[in-house]
């Protein structure tokens, strides 16, 4: 196995983290002795053990004597600041590890290359892979936050085989995707900090927007309701968390944190929403519909990734699915049972 293959494993481990890691980096680590993995770990909960510590804790007693001779692979530069958990550079030195390989530097002020200097000063060999793509992808939300000053925006919707988001009869109950896709969506929900939906979706579908089909924390529910359609008796207002409601005008009749955001659904309004979410520490958000809200994010260019399911049944007529710009790039397309799942990147 070569360095890239072990870093690929680090990326897979980093990706296991769910929303408990918050906006902190998603990091995986692998400890390798004589081409054998003797430890693996990842950063699971913000403020708790970092990937390096989790990895070292997984080493069996019989393998512990090999730790100083092993190479530590990490998806991200180890930290050197004593925050809520200790500095990983100290842990590495204390364990006597002599070789560290990581992918990207950690842009956090106070780290960004500082850890490399600390390790090298201690005689530890450090190899970096700054362009390594799998690890870049895992922390794409942090890059968007730093460079664009807004959360990473993921769009998600399901369309019928003939491209409708729902049938023409707005009262009809309907399913587009199969049970495997639905469970996958709940898994994604456990990985996102907030779900955004439009007011009409709340009224017409009355969704719960929880992770009930997959173990994990429920994301914050955010409703964009410029025309004050929600009534307040829908399921989301009876959940454990207070939804964040961007209303057209003041509402004191709703069990929600209400922000008066005006009656427009345009780029300025959506920028206001995203700025507010960023202020609340919600760095990865998923827009789950409906058509108007999804299209507004697309038209404003305020999105990073789109996950589109296509079911195998046609509706014949209905609410048309949003249209992505021609510049959207397909990054993957795969079958999920009877459904097709396509993932697009904004650029
Ligand atoms: N298949 C899927 O993945 C999926 C996912 C979610 C939802 N859906 C379906 O999508 C449907 C709802 O979609 P939708 O597009 O009707 O609504 P929506 O996106 O859920 O909500 C948008 C809200 O913004 C308002 N709005 C629209 N254009 C506006 C503008 N230019 N200025 C100000 N406000 C504006 C709408 O007002 P009005 O109330 O006047 O329209 C509506 O209240 C639901 O029936 C649901 O079943 C499907």
């Amino acid at each position: 196995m070569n360095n890239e293959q072990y870093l690929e494993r680090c990326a897979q481990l980093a990706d296991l983290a769910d929303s408990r890691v918050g906006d902190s980096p998603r990091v995986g680590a692998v400890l390798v002795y004589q081409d054998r993995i003797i430890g693996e770990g990842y950063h699971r909960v913000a403020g708790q053990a970092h990937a390096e510590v989790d990895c070292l804790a997984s080493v069996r007693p019989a393998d512990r004597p090999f730790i100083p001779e092993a190479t530590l692979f990490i998806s991200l530069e180890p930290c050197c600041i004593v925050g809520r958990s200790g500095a990983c550079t100290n842990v590495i030195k204390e364990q006597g590890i002599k070789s560290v390989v990581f992918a990207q530097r950690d842009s956090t002020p106070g780290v960004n290359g500082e850890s490399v200097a600390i390790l090298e000063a201690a005689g530890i060999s450090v190899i970096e892979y700054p362009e390594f793509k799998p690890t870049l992808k895992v922390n794409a939300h942090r890059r968007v936050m730093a460079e664009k000053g807004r959360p990473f925006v993921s769009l998600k919707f399901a369309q019928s085989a003939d491209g409708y988001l729902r049938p023409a009869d707005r009262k009809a109950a309907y399913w587009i995707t199969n049970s495997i896709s639905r469970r996958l969506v709940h898994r994604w929900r456990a990985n996102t900090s907030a779900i955004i939906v439009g007011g009409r979706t709340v009224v017409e579908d009355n969704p719960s927007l929880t992770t009930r089909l997959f173990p994990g924390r429920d994301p914050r529910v955010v409703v964009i309701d410029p025309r004050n359609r929600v009534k307040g008796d829908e399921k989301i207002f009876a959940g454990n968390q207070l939804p964040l409601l961007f209303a057209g005008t003041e509402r004191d009749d709703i069990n929600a944190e209400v922000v008066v955001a005006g009656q427009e659904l345009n780029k300025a309004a959506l920028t206001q929403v995203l700025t507010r979410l960023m202020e609340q520490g919600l760095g990865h958000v998923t827009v789950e519909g409906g058509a108007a809200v999804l299209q507004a994010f697309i038209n404003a260019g305020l999105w990073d990734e789109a996950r589109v399911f296509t079911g195998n049944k046609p509706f014949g007529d209905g609410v048309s699915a949003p249209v992505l710009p021609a510049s959207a790039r397909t990054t993957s397309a795969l079958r999920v049972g009877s459904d097709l799942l396509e993932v697009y990147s904004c650029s």
Side-chain angles (χ1 to χ4, degrees), residues 134-212:
T135 46
L136 272 175
K137 197 166 160 251
V138 176
N139 284 309
H141 63 295
R142 284 177 62 86
R143 228 175 32 260
V144 169
M145 285 162 67
E147 289 170 11
K148 301 190 174 169
R150 63 162 174 81
F152 183 92
V153 178
S154 188
L155 312 178
K156 179 249 134 189
F157 58 89
Q159 59 184 1
S160 61
D162 49 358
Y164 295 106
L165 219 54
R166 67 155 305 140
D169 176 2
R170 281 189 171 263
K171 297 222 160 41
Y174 68 97
W175 280 117
I176 295 175
T177 51
N178 62 42
S179 58
I180 311 169
S181 301
R182 290 205 289 274
R183 191 171 148 85
L184 188 56
V185 168
H186 284 228
R187 181 181 175 172
W188 293 339
R189 283 183 181 166
N191 272 306
T192 195
S193 359
I195 294 181
I196 301 177
V197 286
R200 239 198 208 249
T201 295
V202 173
V203 174
E204 292 185 352
D205 293 5
N206 196 12
S208 303
L209 303 176
T210 61
T211 56
R212 64 197 176 281

Side-chain angles (χ1 to χ4, degrees), residues 228-241:
N228 287 3
R229 298 289 186 213
V230 301
K231 293 193 275 297
D233 59 357
E234 295 89 354
K235 283 184 203 156
I236 54 162
F237 298 109
N240 299 330
Q241 298 187 60

Side-chain angles (χ1 to χ4, degrees), residues 104-345:
Q104 282 80 37
R105 291 195 176 190
D106 182 353
S107 59
T108 306
V111 184
N112 215 349
E114 281 299 313
S115 297
V116 177
I118 291 170
L119 294 177
E120 286 182 341
I124 296 167
S125 145
V126 179
I127 302 176
E128 303 176 44
Y129 287 82
E131 303 303 325
F132 190 66
K133 285 208 173 60
T135 46
L136 272 175
K137 197 166 160 251
V138 176
N139 284 309
H141 63 295
R142 284 177 62 86
R143 228 175 32 260
V144 169
M145 285 162 67
E147 289 170 11
K148 301 190 174 169
R150 63 162 174 81
F152 183 92
V153 178
S154 188
L155 312 178
K156 179 249 134 189
F157 58 89
Q159 59 184 1
S160 61
D162 49 358
Y164 295 106
L165 219 54
R166 67 155 305 140
D169 176 2
R170 281 189 171 263
K171 297 222 160 41
Y174 68 97
W175 280 117
I176 295 175
T177 51
N178 62 42
S179 58
I180 311 169
S181 301
R182 290 205 289 274
R183 191 171 148 85
L184 188 56
V185 168
H186 284 228
R187 181 181 175 172
W188 293 339
R189 283 183 181 166
N191 272 306
T192 195
S193 359
I195 294 181
I196 301 177
V197 286
R200 239 198 208 249
T201 295
V202 173
V203 174
E204 292 185 352
D205 293 5
N206 196 12
S208 303
L209 303 176
T210 61
T211 56
R212 64 197 176 281
L213 300 179
F214 194 85
R217 198 164 72 172
D218 291 338
R220 184 89 196 266
V221 173
V222 178
V223 184
I224 300 181
D225 191 22
R227 293 183 178 152
N228 287 3
R229 298 289 186 213
V230 301
K231 293 193 275 297
D233 59 357
E234 295 89 354
K235 283 184 203 156
I236 54 162
F237 298 109
N240 299 330
Q241 298 187 60
L242 212 55
L244 181 55
L245 175 67
F246 290 90
T249 54
E250 190 56 69
R251 301 224 35 192
D252 50 15
D253 55 333
I254 299 261
N255 185 31
E257 180 185 344
V258 178
V259 178
V260 179
Q263 294 169 343
E264 303 291 335
L265 186 59
N266 53 20
K267 186 167 184 172
L270 298 183
T271 303
Q272 188 186 346
V273 169
L274 294 179
T275 304
R276 184 70 178 230
L277 299 184
M278 191 75 174
E279 283 165 8
Q280 298 213 357
L282 302 167
H284 183 295
V285 302
T286 304
V287 185
E288 288 207 12
V293 164
L294 284 161
Q295 197 65 57
F297 274 94
I298 294 166
N299 294 349
L302 293 172
W303 65 285
D304 301 292
E305 169 200 81
R307 296 173 173 186
V308 182
F309 285 104
T310 304
N312 63 353
K313 287 188 233 57
F315 285 165
D317 194 6
V319 175
S320 293
V323 181
L324 296 172
S327 56
R329 201 166 39 86
T330 312
T331 54
S332 72
L334 60 112
R335 286 261 151 219
V336 183
S338 51
D339 299 333
L340 171 67
L341 169 61
E342 289 164 294
V343 181
Y344 299 86
S345 160

